[in-house]
Amino acid sequence: MRVLILGGTTEASLLCRALAGDGRFAPTLSLAGRTNVPALPPIDCRIGGYGGARGLAAYLRERGVHALIDAVHPYAARMSHNAVAAAASAGVPLLALRRPAWTPVEGDKWTIVADLAAASRALGALPRRVFLTVGRQELGPFRDAPWHRYVVRSVDLPASTDLPPDSVAIAARGPFDVAAEGALLAAHAIDVIVTKNAGGEAVRAKLDAARALGIAVIMTERPVKPPAETVATADAARRWLIARHCALRGA
């Protein structure tokens, strides 16, 4: 059974590794190519775009894909919309693997905003020490607030021209633990974190450390994704694929 997994998340990697070596499936992981050196699972991988929904639908038909898994980042809304449209056009069953969003708990000091431009404005007019974890390609709104001091963490280092003027850049890949996150926040005297609501466990330690240290968090809301059959875990996606495989065999 040929499976195309649109990846970029921990859950996508877990699903790929669960399917590797399972003779019932021939999975391919598709990545957009935004990370310079992605951590690749031991299956076929494809890096690069498709040219929109029409190009993805053509790929699904040409490769005879039996099932499409949308396991892209929670903020990759355009790709999810393309996946729904392409699957419908090509007549391929689609499953969305979407991990739950984070929610604040007692002790959190969150300000929830619509987007990164709003997050930049929410930092205010007085200088602050900001831990910025929004991805290296989305730093523009913070260059418009150069009076803050930023610690910018991303998987790959941003170009120097993309950084706000007063910045320290750190390249690191999760998962992170609470103790190390707390030490990082303390070492840079951080008083506010700006992040996206990615969900999951790999990078949530910064939120736990912020709660323990009484540090404020500015959290951007997730974009709206299209309706689709949805599961929250790689194991649930694997069970869905097994059911699809059984249905194909019985057809």
Side-chain angles (χ1 to χ4, degrees), residues 77 81 102 139 166 189 224 239 242:
H81 282 277
W102 294 317
L139 301 174
D166 191 1
V224 176
R239 293 197 301 270
I242 290 172

Side-chain angles (χ1 to χ4, degrees), residues 13 17 41 52 92 97 113 133 141 149 173:
S13 296
R17 295 182 189 282
V92 173
L97 175 47
V113 297
T133 62
R149 177 165 178 77
R173 188 194 304 269

Side-chain angles (χ1 to χ4, degrees), residues 6 14 18 27 31 34 86 116 135 152 163 166 171-172 177 181 185 192 208 216 224 231 235 245:
L6 305 177
L14 290 172
L31 297 173
R34 293 192 173 186
L116 292 177
V152 179
L163 288 166
D166 191 1
D177 64 66
E181 294 290 73
L185 296 172
V192 61
D208 298 331
V224 176
V231 296
D235 186 59
H245 178 268

